[in-house]
Amino acid sequence: MRVCDRYVNKFLVYLLLALSVFWWLPRQVNADESSGQVYEAVILKVVDGDTVNLKEAVLGTTKVRLLSIDTPETNFQGKSQGEIGKAAAAYLQTQLPKGTEVKLRLGKEQKDNYGRLLAYIFKEDTDINKDMLSKGHAVTYFIWPNMMYLEEYQRTMEQAKNAKLGMWSTPGLELPFEFRLRVSNQQPNKYAGDYTTKTYVQPDQYKQVAVEKRVFFFTEEDASAAGYKKAQ
């Protein structure tokens, strides 16, 4: 009986170890395909206002870029947007401290050019991306084909903008993507669409589309595929 007990005890130890490893691994949650794949994950750290790292990799990476929003830069090519960038990162840190359990809803396009996951992050019932917009710590940044929550996010951002919350209280505000273009000495390279009129303009004419109506396309073919026509 003692020999048998030893084997049973060893089996239970191995079983508990296997279960503990499984518990911490990111898990895919059932979701409608049209709403994006959903994974459970655990936050390791906040990098800046729109980037976090996970404890365990999802689809081969631990880096996540919050989808469809853009926050002021804290370190882009060695330069930052100052206090508004620090404020965005600090607020996200309060919402997603190390060890926070979250759900990641991935976009139709799941990764960016840097290999980061593109995701909407949910902490229980809180949409973290939307929360960043509502506090004025982020601007919408929709790039086709990731258009989920378009109207909801645009309305949320417009409310924060009109109330001059967060970054919107900054005189002469330079949007994060404008800051990156200036620092890297580049010109606008995405076509700008107006989701209310379903028309688009050339990259250098993006200011003709109000920020609360703006979506971006990498090519004119993308704009056409999304049902947009060139503005006259």
Side-chain angles (χ1 to χ4, degrees):
M1 286 294 292
R2 290 178 182 175
V3 173
C4 182
D5 287 344
R6 281 204 303 272
Y7 282 120
V8 170
N9 289 337
K10 284 184 178 181
F11 172 77
L12 290 174
V13 169
Y14 290 141
L15 179 62
L16 287 172
L17 285 173
L19 288 173
S20 66
V21 170
F22 174 76
W23 176 258
W24 287 109
L25 286 175
R27 296 192 295 274
Q28 185 172 357
V29 179
N30 290 332
D32 187 279
E33 288 186 5
S34 64
S35 63
Q37 292 179 325
V38 178
Y39 291 85
E40 293 179 347
V42 177
I43 297 296
L44 177 63
K45 72 173 183 178
V46 167
V47 177
D48 57 27
D50 54 30
T51 311
V52 300
N53 288 348
L54 305 176
K55 183 175 181 179
E56 300 288 345
V58 171
L59 300 183
T61 182
T62 57
K63 298 178 180 179
V64 180
R65 173 66 161 80
L66 276 67
L67 187 52
S68 301
I69 70 169
D70 204 12
T71 64
E73 296 291 343
T74 57
N75 183 9
F76 179 75
Q77 297 184 5
K79 299 184 181 298
S80 81
Q81 290 186 263
E83 292 304 315
I84 57 175
K86 293 178 183 178
Y91 180 74
L92 188 60
Q93 177 63 53
T94 67
Q95 299 303 104
L96 298 177
K98 182 178 179 180
T100 302
E101 296 180 1
V102 297
K103 289 182 180 179
L104 309 175
R105 185 179 296 277
L106 304 188
K108 188 172 183 179
E109 188 172 82
Q110 297 181 337
K111 292 183 180 180
D112 65 10
N113 291 334
Y114 301 101
R116 300 176 299 184
L117 284 177
L118 297 172
Y120 304 99
I121 298 182
F122 291 85
K123 183 178 71 172
E124 297 179 345
D125 294 329
T126 301
D127 179 341
I128 297 297
N129 302 39
K130 181 181 177 181
D131 187 48
M132 293 295 288
L133 292 168
S134 72
K135 300 300 189 298
H137 290 309
V139 60
T140 52
Y141 195 52
F142 282 92
I143 303 176
W144 191 85
N146 292 327
M147 298 296 202
M148 200 181 303
Y149 307 123
L150 173 59
E151 295 188 26
E152 180 182 355
Y153 278 19
Q154 296 288 29
R155 284 195 302 269
T156 300
M157 181 203 65
E158 187 175 14
Q159 291 169 358
K161 177 172 172 279
N162 291 340
K164 298 187 183 304
L165 299 179
M167 62 192 282
W168 300 111
S169 65
T170 305
L173 175 67
E174 187 175 39
L175 296 180
F177 86 90
E178 294 173 324
F179 174 82
R180 293 191 295 270
L181 288 173
R182 178 174 60 81
V183 170
S184 59
N185 196 31
Q186 294 183 2
Q187 296 300 313
N189 59 2
K190 298 182 187 71
Y191 295 85
D194 182 328
Y195 84 88
T196 65
T197 63
K198 292 293 190 295
T199 59
Y200 70 91
V201 297
Q202 296 294 315
D204 61 355
Q205 298 174 322
Y206 71 89
K207 288 186 178 181
Q208 293 183 15
V209 181
V211 63
E212 61 269 15
K213 299 179 180 180
R214 191 183 296 158
V215 298
F216 288 105
F217 303 94
F218 285 111
T219 67
E220 289 189 270
E221 288 75 18
D222 285 347
S224 179
Y228 285 64
K229 296 182 179 180
K230 192 170 185 178
Q232 299 300 315

